[in-house]
Amino acid sequence: MSLRLFRIAWTVSRYRLDSLVPPERLPPVIRWLWRFAPVRLIPIGDHSRGKRLRLALESLGPIFVKFGQMLSTRRDLLPPDIADELKRLQDQVPPFPGETARAMVEVELGKTVEEAFAAFETEPMASASIAQVHAAELHSGEQVVVKIIRPGIDRIMREDIGLLYTFARLMRRVPEARRLRPVEVVKDYEATLFDELDLNKEAANTSQLKRNFQSSPLLYVPAIHWSLTHRQVMVQERINGIPVADIDALRAQGTDLKKLAERGVEIFFTQVFRDNFFHADMHPGNIFVSRENPTEPRYIAIDCGIVGSLTREDQDYLARNLLAFFRQDYYEVAVLHIESGWVGEGTRANEFASAIRAVCEPILEKPLKDISFGQVLLGLFQTARRFNMEVQPQLVLLQKTLLNIEGLGRQLYPDLDLWSTARPYLERWMRERAGPKGFWKTLQKHAPELAHQIPELPVLAHQALADRDQQRRLYRQQTEALTGLEARFQRAAPRARRLRLGAVLLALALAWQPMLAWAEQQPWPVLVAAGLGALLLAWR
């Protein structure tokens, strides 16, 4: 652990990442100490700041690469030169040797590459933080891609996760940071990351997503070849699309970018609210656009290693919160946060609503194209800090994905209005969930269970009544038994006192002469004490 921490510190120093933060933005004390920091003696070199950041993240491993991938989608929050460099992390991570890839394929499939494929390209098509992809052809003539997990990646990720746990436990000791629930967030992140190391799970996620959007004009998901898919190797249909980040190519084929951006938002909300199963790693390296019918653009999604879902309660609260924001009903937002337990107990709704209004009103008064959902979230988190709002680990993936979607949409169509695009969908979903249609769907969903239980209702009702009568009889019997015991104790108490008094008097009579001789020799305090003891013994 200490070696890993040393490596991170060395990497930060080697690439002079400290220079990315302007000194005037630092607190005065740190700014003064920074003047004497030894790291300033290391030359910055000829690389641009964006390239230095990218190289540092690449050298630190998959967890840091994924962080860079997420940042690359927020071009509205980053300088262009840094965003351009970080974009290369999406599919241009340095690959591992092709011969190593062939050997891993043969071990996983239990056969030679020639037996499994008619052709296999040793040079990878793309290389990402956790796996890389090779083009291949099946003996049937179908073009496929072969995804292979990086060798040794499991050990590196465990070291990084262990380091994150150390930081999280340290943060938990700080009262201000405790509300962020850092250990729980790292635990969820750990489960998500290690799920990506099992390509059987990714293949299952891909099949589920494909089934959810079967014949949909919005999204296409390539098919999985299950006979050639194992834990560290996955074979998937090869797609022919344009990377969503290649804006020039999309414009060249006449793609309707406004519709493409709006469809991305619709796909996201469809996955979250209709299917409750959403692709949670939607950075541009995993998204393509079909070359067919550019006026009605269709997305193609790959790499379904990270997916998310919500409980029914979280779905409802999230939808109602978003709609309340759209209506600028801040009191409703406050009440929903209190009801869901997302803020501290005892929070007063009117005070919380006033604080939210102070943050959101200046933002929402801007033109719609200038409103960033990321800015709204950041402002809300800062405001909710004094109301002891805790981070909800189950919503972290959703927040990350929504920020990715907004960043991608603004990259495609800078005037994208996320609010007006999402609002009609959410209103329609709420009507369907709460209205007659939603009731009918719920009834249909539970119809088999109800059909099995309804004939048994008379028997169950009779059994419930019988159980209730039996419980009443048992309660009455226990009450009568307790009453009888209490009466016996009350009757036995005087008798016990008489027995004790009689025993004392008999003992006194038998021992009177010796006691009298003893008493004549004792001082009066001893005699008083003995008398009190005899009296208490007889009374008790």
Side-chain angles (χ1 to χ4, degrees):
M1 184 67 68
S2 58
L3 289 176
R4 181 60 173 165
L5 189 59
F6 174 78
R7 185 186 173 193
I8 292 174
W10 164 245
T11 302
V12 171
S13 304
R14 176 188 174 191
Y15 291 101
R16 289 300 308 274
L17 299 187
D18 58 283
S19 63
L20 299 180
V21 181
E24 59 272 13
R25 300 291 296 275
L26 297 173
V29 176
I30 298 179
R31 192 187 316 158
W32 184 82
L33 292 173
W34 188 247
R35 295 177 182 177
F36 307 98
V39 69
R40 298 187 65 186
L41 299 176
I42 301 175
I44 292 180
D46 299 330
H47 293 318
S48 66
R49 59 179 183 174
K51 186 173 183 179
R52 282 187 282 118
L53 178 58
R54 175 178 62 81
L55 292 174
L57 294 175
E58 285 180 355
S59 67
L60 288 174
I63 290 181
F64 295 88
V65 169
K66 284 197 166 293
F67 179 68
Q69 290 172 348
M70 182 183 70
L71 286 179
S72 70
T73 65
R74 298 313 312 263
R75 300 185 71 90
D76 55 327
L77 304 179
L78 294 175
D81 60 321
I82 293 181
D84 289 339
E85 278 292 336
L86 293 183
K87 187 173 72 172
R88 300 181 62 184
L89 293 174
Q90 293 162 8
D91 57 4
Q92 298 182 42
V93 179
F96 59 89
E99 291 304 321
T100 302
R102 288 178 63 95
M104 291 185 65
V105 169
E106 291 182 345
V107 169
E108 282 292 298
L109 300 185
K111 60 179 74 173
T112 65
V113 168
E114 289 74 20
E115 290 174 332
F117 305 101
F120 181 89
E121 294 185 10
T122 305
E123 191 71 20
M125 297 173 59
S127 181
S129 56
I130 290 179
Q132 70 184 32
V133 176
H134 293 254
E137 181 182 335
L138 300 180
H139 291 290
S140 63
E142 183 179 352
Q143 299 297 313
V144 295
V145 293
V146 183
K147 186 172 183 177
I148 307 162
I149 296 291
R150 283 181 174 271
I153 195 67
D154 181 271
R155 177 184 56 80
I156 298 173
M157 289 178 63
R158 290 192 185 281
E159 289 180 357
D160 285 348
I161 287 293
L163 192 59
L164 286 178
Y165 270 120
T166 301
F167 288 147
R169 293 188 185 101
L170 290 174
M171 288 179 62
R172 195 166 55 179
R173 297 180 181 179
V174 180
E176 185 67 16
R178 195 174 298 141
R179 67 178 186 83
L180 299 175
R181 300 169 68 182
V183 174
E184 289 83 352
V185 170
V186 173
K187 187 176 181 180
D188 277 14
Y189 190 39
E190 177 186 23
T192 299
L193 283 176
F194 281 96
D195 277 350
E196 285 195 88
L197 297 182
D198 186 351
L199 293 181
N200 280 318
K201 291 184 179 179
E202 179 177 336
N205 294 338
T206 303
S207 294
Q208 178 67 57
L209 190 62
K210 182 176 182 64
R211 187 159 54 249
N212 291 344
F213 284 86
Q214 193 72 40
S215 304
S216 169
L218 303 177
L219 179 67
Y220 180 79
V221 181
I224 297 294
H225 291 270
W226 282 102
S227 61
L228 297 173
T229 294
H230 295 270
R231 183 177 177 83
Q232 296 190 55
V233 172
M234 182 180 76
V235 178
Q236 189 174 18
E237 171 192 358
R238 185 172 181 177
I239 53 99
N240 181 25
I242 300 173
V244 73
D246 193 347
I247 307 298
D248 293 336
L250 292 174
R251 286 199 179 103
Q253 77 161 6
T255 305
D256 187 336
L257 295 181
K258 180 177 183 293
K259 183 173 289 187
L260 184 65
E262 292 174 347
R263 284 189 167 188
V265 176
E266 183 178 354
I267 288 170
F268 169 75
F269 282 97
T270 300
Q271 291 180 54
V272 172
F273 293 104
R274 187 196 70 182
D275 304 327
N276 195 20
F277 186 86
F278 59 93
H279 192 313
D281 197 18
M282 296 185 71
H283 63 77
N286 292 337
I287 304 174
F288 296 80
V289 179
S290 174
R291 297 180 184 273
E292 302 174 2
N293 197 5
T295 58
E296 295 292 333
R298 189 185 194 190
Y299 283 94
I300 303 173
I302 62 171
D303 195 355
C304 301
I306 303 178
V307 296
S309 61
L310 302 174
T311 65
R312 183 183 177 92
E313 291 77 15
D314 282 337
Q315 276 185 308
D316 287 336
Y317 278 122
L318 181 65
R320 291 166 64 188
N321 264 293
L322 290 174
L323 287 173
F325 271 120
F326 296 151
R327 296 191 298 265
Q328 295 175 255
D329 186 350
Y330 305 117
Y331 187 82
E332 176 70 7
V333 174
V335 169
L336 288 169
H337 276 70
I338 294 170
E339 287 180 355
S340 63
W342 293 352
V343 293
E345 294 182 3
T347 300
R348 296 178 61 180
N350 56 342
E351 290 182 3
F352 192 29
S354 178
I356 296 172
R357 184 180 299 107
V359 172
C360 294
E361 200 66 26
I363 297 175
L364 298 179
E365 286 298 317
K366 295 179 180 179
L368 290 174
K369 67 184 182 65
D370 295 333
I371 295 174
S372 167
F373 191 76
Q375 293 175 340
V376 175
L377 279 181
L378 183 61
L380 281 175
F381 291 154
Q382 291 174 343
T383 302
R385 184 181 305 164
R386 65 187 180 93
F387 292 93
N388 298 320
M389 179 176 175
E390 294 184 344
V391 170
Q392 303 298 313
Q394 76 275 19
L395 300 180
V396 169
L397 271 181
L398 182 71
Q399 293 165 0
K400 164 184 170 291
T401 306
L402 185 54
L403 292 177
N404 284 351
I405 290 294
E406 184 188 27
L408 175 61
R410 290 183 184 277
Q411 186 177 345
L412 292 171
Y413 183 68
D415 291 337
L416 172 68
D417 178 10
L418 176 67
W419 308 85
S420 64
T421 304
R423 180 173 179 172
Y425 182 88
L426 286 172
E427 289 177 338
R428 183 171 67 252
W429 181 82
M430 286 298 292
R431 286 196 302 270
E432 291 177 354
R433 172 68 71 96
K437 188 175 181 180
F439 174 77
W440 177 244
K441 282 187 176 180
T442 303
L443 191 62
Q444 286 180 314
K445 180 179 179 180
H446 296 286
E449 183 180 354
L450 291 173
H452 175 72
Q453 292 178 348
I454 286 175
E456 299 180 0
L457 285 179
V459 177
L460 293 174
H462 180 269
Q463 184 177 353
L465 291 173
D467 290 343
R468 185 180 178 186
D469 289 341
Q470 184 177 2
Q471 290 174 358
R472 285 181 173 177
R473 286 196 299 272
L474 288 173
Y475 176 76
R476 187 165 53 250
Q477 291 172 1
Q478 291 171 353
T479 302
E480 292 173 354
L482 289 173
T483 304
L485 285 173
E486 184 178 0
R488 288 178 61 185
F489 285 139
Q490 290 176 351
R491 291 194 300 270
R495 182 183 179 190
R497 284 196 293 273
R498 289 195 300 272
L499 288 173
R500 284 196 296 272
L501 182 59
V504 170
L505 292 175
L506 180 61
L508 286 173
L510 293 175
W512 178 253
Q513 289 297 332
M515 286 181 63
L516 186 61
W518 173 82
E520 290 176 350
Q521 300 174 4
Q522 302 303 320
W524 69 267
V526 175
L527 296 177
V528 170
L532 287 175
L535 181 63
L536 290 173
L537 182 62
W539 175 73
R540 181 65 184 148

